[in-house]
């Protein structure tokens, strides 16, 4: 039996087990009334990202004038994607659930995650498709599933967008980093890591696409993906994530210059 099959079998086994056992809160394990729902205490701790937030990177902003807001970091160094939306803050309340999905294949909360992401994706309904961030091949074999793909499927089903899970691939070779500075290194890394295979280019050319991932940390992986999609001819690349890391206190933007 291959590693992939083993992964799927153990995943199915766990899902069956989850269906038989009494429903538990995906965050703390407390018994709850319905499968996939959080207990009231964990629910109260979650911090959703509402407006105002930066149009480009989804960082929450405490106060801002009405309209489109871009945070100072994105003004100085804009990401390679056009817009980003995040459902939640990645913090001590959301991290255990997200990590349980990713590393222990605890999938009870996936439906709720999908619903929260769908709400955050309200501006993306006119897109042509959702593109999950691909996993490393060995990680995919080990885990048996790609959490970004699962999330994209949940969102796609609700808003009626196709999930294009074959258009972006991780290529093994990373170009030589010798003699490059920090910024060039980052750019060089991105260029070598993701690509759109020739036979899939027609799915990307001239399309408005939404990259889907579980967590946005620095945005460098998503930027590398966005660059690969653009090189293949995508006209617009937005980002949708379940959670976003927010460092420091939310800022206030008093005016848009
Ligand atoms: Zn709980
Ligand atoms: Zn920003």
């Amino acid at each position: 039996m291959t590693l992939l099959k083993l992964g799927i079998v153990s995943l199915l086994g766990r899902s069956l087990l989850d269906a038989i056992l009494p429903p538990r809160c995906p965050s703390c394990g407390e018994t709850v009334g319905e499968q996939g729902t959080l207990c009231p205490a964990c629910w109260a701790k979650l911090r959703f990202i509402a407006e105002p937030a930066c149009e480009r990177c989804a960082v929450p902003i405490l106060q801002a004038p009405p309209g489109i807001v871009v945070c100072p970091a994105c003004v100085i160094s804009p990401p390679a994607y056009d817009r980003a939306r995040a459902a939640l803050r990645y913090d001590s309340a959301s991290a255990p659930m997200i990590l349980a999905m990713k590393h222990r294949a605890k999938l009870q909360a996936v439906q709720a995650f999908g619903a929260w992401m769908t709400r955050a994706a309200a501006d993306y309904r006119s897109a042509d498709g959702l593109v999950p961030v691909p996993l490393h091949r060995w990680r995919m074999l080990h885990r048996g599933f790609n959490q970004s793909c699962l999330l994209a499927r949940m969102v796609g089903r609700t808003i009626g967008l196709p999930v294009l899970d074959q258009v972006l691939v991780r290529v093994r070779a990373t170009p030589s980093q010798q003699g490059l500075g920090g910024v060039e290194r980052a750019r060089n890394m991105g260029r070598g890591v993701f690509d759109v295979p020739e036979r899939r280019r027609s799915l990307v050319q001239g399309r408005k696409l939404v990259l889907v991932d579980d967590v946005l940390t620095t945005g460098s992986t998503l930027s590398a993906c966005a660059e690969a999609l653009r090189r293949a001819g995508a006209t617009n690349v937005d980002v949708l994530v379940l959670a976003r890391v927010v460092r420091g206190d939310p800022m206030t933007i008093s005016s848009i210059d």
Side-chain angles (χ1 to χ4, degrees):
M1 194 182 275
T2 64
L3 271 176
L4 179 62
K5 278 184 189 158
L6 272 173
I8 292 169
V9 168
S10 71
L11 199 65
L12 282 174
R14 269 175 281 186
S15 304
L16 279 175
L17 209 60
D18 289 340
I20 300 163
L21 295 170
R24 294 193 178 275
C25 169
S27 185
C28 71
E30 194 64 40
T31 311
V32 289
E34 205 183 317
Q35 194 70 260
T37 55
L38 275 82
C39 75
C42 289
W43 172 256
K45 276 187 243 159
L46 286 182
R47 292 198 288 170
F48 288 90
I49 296 180
E51 286 180 354
C54 173
E55 174 79 356
R56 302 296 304 271
C57 75
V59 73
I61 290 164
L62 197 59
Q63 252 188 333
I68 291 171
V69 192
V70 178
C71 79
C74 289
V75 171
I76 296 166
S77 174
Y81 36 87
D82 295 286
R83 301 179 292 178
R85 300 288 184 267
L88 284 171
R89 275 171 185 253
Y90 187 77
D91 56 16
S92 58
S94 65
M97 284 193 299
I98 298 170
L99 294 173
M101 162 182 71
K102 214 160 149 165
H103 301 300
R104 290 187 280 125
K106 292 266 178 198
L107 305 179
Q108 305 97 316
V110 167
Q111 210 157 351
F113 291 165
W116 301 337
M117 288 172 79
T118 300
R119 205 169 50 181
D123 295 333
Y124 293 167
R125 286 173 189 266
S126 64
D128 297 309
L130 305 173
V131 180
V133 170
L135 278 187
H136 286 288
R137 201 180 304 172
W138 68 263
R139 227 176 246 176
M140 182 68 194
L141 283 173
H142 178 73
R143 209 175 278 172
F145 72 104
N146 175 357
Q147 73 280 0
S148 305
C149 199
L150 274 182
L151 295 172
R153 286 192 198 291
M154 300 306 296
V155 176
R157 206 174 298 159
T158 325
I159 60 176
L161 286 180
V163 177
L164 310 170
D165 59 350
Q166 307 284 320
V167 305
L168 209 52
V169 293
R170 278 188 193 254
V171 288
R172 222 172 298 180
T174 306
S176 167
Q177 302 279 44
Q178 255 181 351
L180 297 179
V183 174
E184 290 149 313
R185 261 171 194 262
R187 195 160 289 168
N188 194 37
M189 268 297 286
R191 193 158 294 154
V193 174
F194 298 98
D195 202 11
V196 178
E198 200 62 50
R199 61 186 187 283
R200 311 267 186 224
R201 299 244 155 151
S202 60
L203 294 167
V204 173
Q205 224 147 21
R207 303 295 164 99
K208 292 185 283 177
L209 301 172
V210 180
L211 278 164
V212 179
D213 208 356
D214 53 348
V215 181
L216 188 159
T217 310
T218 63
S220 61
T221 301
L222 286 157
S223 272
C225 289
E227 278 171 13
L229 292 175
R230 273 194 215 286
R231 280 200 305 276
T235 51
N236 198 90
V237 183
D238 292 323
V239 160
L240 175 66
V241 293
L242 172 59
R244 194 207 195 291
V245 173
V246 180
R247 293 193 174 89
D249 294 325
M251 69 196 93
T252 296
I253 293 178
S254 51
S255 68
I256 303 170
D257 296 320

